[in-house]
């Protein structure tokens, strides 16, 4: 476990469940990504964890921000970000949110339908817009396909339309899926982007930017490729398709920046064979799918777990949450093994839980209050 | 739509998304169930909706309460419920929660493992306990099997153990699954209960209570059997297995009491063909899976939808939530049709959303604040 968080947990007998996030680790992750691809601008995906100490740190590092809502834009501005550092990246925006963002001088907006373009034309006249392309999400543990993005043909039409409507057709975006473990996923997406760039250039519209979205993986239950494998593939692919005129590159990492900076400390409420001589024990934690671990749906994201008995004999376990809800089971098919000694009252740590935990947490399902958060 | 809620929504231009709950309808549902099976005690499953106005109303009706946590027990007590009206129904309880409940004179506790029994022995000496049986959940739209309950053989052993440990072996419980649409699901479960009662009677332990759990369905997308079909089946089955000595019967309805008393008002953020000439439109609402509609996971619960254009020409739609999350899609396989006229800014109503919406809602996923609630 992260030594700073380990020390903090040992020094403070915190009420569980709680999330502890190491801000220094976030800085390290940011610098690492910046170092791997210095030509790209990093727009932190605020939705991964919008806590103020994270925003504050990233502002000191001159990060940009990808916001999913007016509320997230407001958080960034309140933390001291400039409007020019913020992209309104959700393609589904309420008119009131567009109005508020435009009023606050936000310049950059995503879209992927004619209807959204019409809203932007009316409520954010002259804004820089980029069109989201639908791309393959194969290789992603948390895929995003279906809901967002459009075809290259339609994107070309929409960006032409944007120009006609007085907007600034600035570029394209795509998302290869969250926790994407295959670097090659970017190649075909960059090729699609080039198709749009080239088609519009024949109409004297010269796009300037490709937003590569998020998706860089972090280590959970299994190893993932190094970040350099992704950035090298991306840079080679950009050179291949764009030659000497590589556009501005935007990245929107969320998980990559905050994921491994966080640890959830949780207490075992019950550990039982459930009356069976054989088979896995059931271990019930005081955090579950509705307490923040929403990404365990379908056992998609598999957090590493450490305990005070690591190194001793283990056995197979099914892990479940504390609620009366039958679907509140974390890992049943995944082959987790934990020390046999573990019993009710023991604490265990769920590693790499800095992203998408605090915000997914329900307000009060089964009466449980949201998990406490500590930023150190 | 419920006329009282309709009138309230028309009279007040509320910020969406919001949940409006008709307290009179809750009273009506409670009385209807009580009338259908007057011999049973109704323990309202607080987790379905723990709002104070609901607890207050049910207290005036002399309802009992099924609590999933110490926090829910505390809410009931604060609202004026007596400790004897409350059951601590979660089989997974923290020691601190058992201690707090016992301190507050809560008498009745669920369990289904030896480990939980040991905790109760130590921290709730002398308490009335009931053992949860695992039963078939076939026919339920939101099944609960796997995580809870044990075999009849193990339950018999555990209740004998409870007696030895100085606890009061009071009865058994089961849950046929939430939104259970087949009345026959109760028959086999009652038969299992009788097996436990009979086996213990040979050991001079006379159980007194069967907790039939929740599960009564309400009408969503399709018709469901009348409540009388369930209660008649239950009563016939009790007579069949227990003859003249029918034990005390407890019901734990949640959805049945509050489900059809609530309406979510939501705004369409976007409606688009997404560049395709054919196929369903995508309609994006300002509430999604992480804004409270968690039970749309796997399209399990299918809320009826009404609009201002009902009666006009409709077309197939895919319904999705407002977040940047790709899994935040409500209905894609279910064949929803909505009026073609619907467009961004229009409001639609999701009916029968009184249960399991306000509490599942995330604290701030994508920056969105939890939905407002109105109890009228």
């Amino acid at each position: 476990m992260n030594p700073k968080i380990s020390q903090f947990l040992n020094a403070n007998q915190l009420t569980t469940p709680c999330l502890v996030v190491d801000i220094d680790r976030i800085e390290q992750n940011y610098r690492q990504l910046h170092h791997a691809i210095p030509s790209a601008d990093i727009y932190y995906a605020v939705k991964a964890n919008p806590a103020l100490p994270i925003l504050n740190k990233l502002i000191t590092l001159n990060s940009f921000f990808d916001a999913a809502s007016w509320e997230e834009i407001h958080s960034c501005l309140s933390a001291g970000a400039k409007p020019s550092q913020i992209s309104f990246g959700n393609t589904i925006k309420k008119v009131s949110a567009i109005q508020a963002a435009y009023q606050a001088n936000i310049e950059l907006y995503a879209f992927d339908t004619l209807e959204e373009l019409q809203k932007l034309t009316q409520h954010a006249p002259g804004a820089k817009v980029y069109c989201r392309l639908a791309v393959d999400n194969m290789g992603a543990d948390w895929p995003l396909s279906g809901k967002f993005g459009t075809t290259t043909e339609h994107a070309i039409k929409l960006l032409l339309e944007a120009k006609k409507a007085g907007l600034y057709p600035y570029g394209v975006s795509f998302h290869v899926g969250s926790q994407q473990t295959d670097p090659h996923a970017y190649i075909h997406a960059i090729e699609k982007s080039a198709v749009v760039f080239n088609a519009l250039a024949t109409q004297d519209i010269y796009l300037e930017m490709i937003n590569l979205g998020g998706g860089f993986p972090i280590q959970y239950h299994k190893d993932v490729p190094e970040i350099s494998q992704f950035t090298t593939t991306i840079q080679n692919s950009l050179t291949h398709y764009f030659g000497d005129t590589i556009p501005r590159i935007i990245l929107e990492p969320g998980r990559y920046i905050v994921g491994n900076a966080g640890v959830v400390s949780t207490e075992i409420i019950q550990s039982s064979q459930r009356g069976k001589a054989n088979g896995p024990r059931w271990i019930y934690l005081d955090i579950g799918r509705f307490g923040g671990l929403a990404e365990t749906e379908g056992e998609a994201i598999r957090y590493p777990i450490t305990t005070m008995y690591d190194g001793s004999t283990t056995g197979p376990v099914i892990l479940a949450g504390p609620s009366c809800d039958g679907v509140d089971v974390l890992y049943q098919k995944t082959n987790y093994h934990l020390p046999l000694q573990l019993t009710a009252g023991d604490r265990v740590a769920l590693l790499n839980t800095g992203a998408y935990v605090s915000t997914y947490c329900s307000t009060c399902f089964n009466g449980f209050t949201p998990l406490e958060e500590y930023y150190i």
Side-chain angles (χ1 to χ4, degrees), chain A:
Chain A
M1 197 199 309
N2 174 309
K4 190 173 155 196
I5 295 177
S6 176
Q7 205 172 357
F8 182 79
L9 286 172
N10 288 333
N12 302 280
Q13 194 64 3
L14 305 169
T15 302
T16 61
C18 66
L19 170 67
V20 184
V21 175
D22 174 5
I23 295 290
D24 295 335
R25 186 62 195 257
I26 288 172
E27 174 168 358
Q28 199 181 317
N29 292 337
Y30 180 91
R31 289 189 189 281
Q32 192 165 36
L33 182 57
H34 180 63
H35 180 75
I37 185 163
S39 58
D41 286 326
I42 299 173
Y43 281 67
Y44 171 61
V46 178
K47 59 184 170 289
N49 189 326
L52 186 59
I54 296 176
L55 302 183
N56 284 339
K57 170 55 76 180
L58 290 172
I59 286 169
T60 68
L61 298 170
N62 293 317
S63 178
F64 294 82
F65 297 92
D66 164 47
S69 62
W70 161 246
E71 290 80 358
E72 285 191 355
I73 292 171
H74 187 257
S75 296
C76 294
L77 293 172
S78 303
K82 295 190 210 76
S84 59
Q85 286 175 285
I86 301 168
S87 162
F88 200 162
N90 194 340
T91 55
I92 314 156
K93 294 177 285 297
K94 275 192 180 181
V95 163
S96 58
I98 296 172
Q99 288 169 332
Y102 191 72
Q103 193 79 24
N105 299 315
I106 302 302
E107 298 163 5
L108 196 53
Y109 298 81
F111 77 103
D112 60 5
T113 64
L114 182 63
E115 291 78 2
E116 191 72 8
L117 192 65
Q118 288 164 344
K119 283 194 276 178
L120 290 168
T121 302
Q122 190 176 350
H123 302 288
K128 283 184 182 170
V129 296
Y130 58 94
C131 186
R132 181 161 170 172
L133 302 172
V135 300
D136 196 352
N137 272 212
M138 278 288 286
D141 286 347
W142 194 256
L144 303 166
S145 50
K147 186 176 173 185
F148 302 108
T150 192
T151 59
T152 49
E153 297 73 25
H154 191 226
I156 292 162
K157 278 190 202 160
L158 289 175
L159 285 161
L160 276 170
E161 199 61 44
K163 175 78 175 177
K164 279 190 214 154
L167 292 163
Y168 185 146
Y170 187 56
V172 297
S173 72
F174 57 77
H175 201 301
V176 294
S178 196
Q179 185 67 9
Q180 173 58 259
T181 55
D182 182 5
H184 296 96
Y186 288 90
I187 300 176
H188 191 53
I190 290 171
E191 183 188 9
K192 279 196 171 185
S193 305
V195 168
V196 178
F197 271 65
N198 293 336
L200 287 168
T202 66
Q203 311 266 342
D204 284 334
I205 295 174
Y206 301 96
L207 298 180
E208 298 166 39
M209 182 276 291
I210 306 179
N211 178 338
L212 304 181
F216 295 135
I218 64 168
Q219 194 183 321
Y220 289 114
H221 209 56
K222 61 184 179 190
D223 289 339
V224 296
E226 293 290 325
I227 190 67
S228 60
Q229 293 191 44
F230 289 91
T231 52
T232 303
T233 303
I234 287 168
Q235 282 179 312
N236 289 343
S237 187
L238 287 169
T239 303
H240 179 78
Y241 290 108
F242 290 91
D244 292 339
T245 54
I246 292 177
R248 180 185 180 208
I249 297 301
I250 278 179
L251 301 173
E252 292 177 340
R255 193 186 304 280
Y256 185 83
I257 300 292
V258 296
N260 68 7
V263 171
V264 163
S265 177
T266 170
E267 184 184 306
I268 294 178
I269 304 183
Q270 201 181 102
S271 168
S272 176
Q273 282 292 142
R274 305 272 309 276
K276 290 179 192 140
N278 302 312
R281 282 166 298 158
W282 280 73
I283 290 187
Y284 300 86
L285 304 175
D286 66 3
I287 185 170
R289 281 190 53 201
F290 304 106
L293 307 178
E295 290 195 321
T296 59
E297 180 181 338
E299 310 192 15
I301 300 294
R302 300 167 184 187
Y303 301 109
I305 299 177
T306 63
T307 78
M308 61 201 290
Y309 302 117
D310 287 352
S312 69
T313 314
T314 65
V317 295
I318 295 168
L319 286 155
S323 74
C324 287
D325 197 320
V327 307
D328 185 14
V329 175
L330 304 173
Y331 303 116
Q332 187 156 21
K333 290 173 227 147
T334 308
N335 197 17
Y336 271 85
H337 280 64
L338 288 178
L340 298 176
Q341 282 175 271
L342 284 173
T343 185
D346 288 341
R347 290 182 175 209
V348 302
L350 309 181
L351 307 189
N352 301 347
T353 40
Y356 301 110
V357 169
S358 56
T359 51
Y360 268 125
C361 183
S362 70
T363 54
C364 64
F365 188 57
N366 275 223
F368 301 120
T369 47
L371 83 169
E372 291 288 331
E373 300 168 51
Y374 301 89
Y375 295 87
I376 62 173

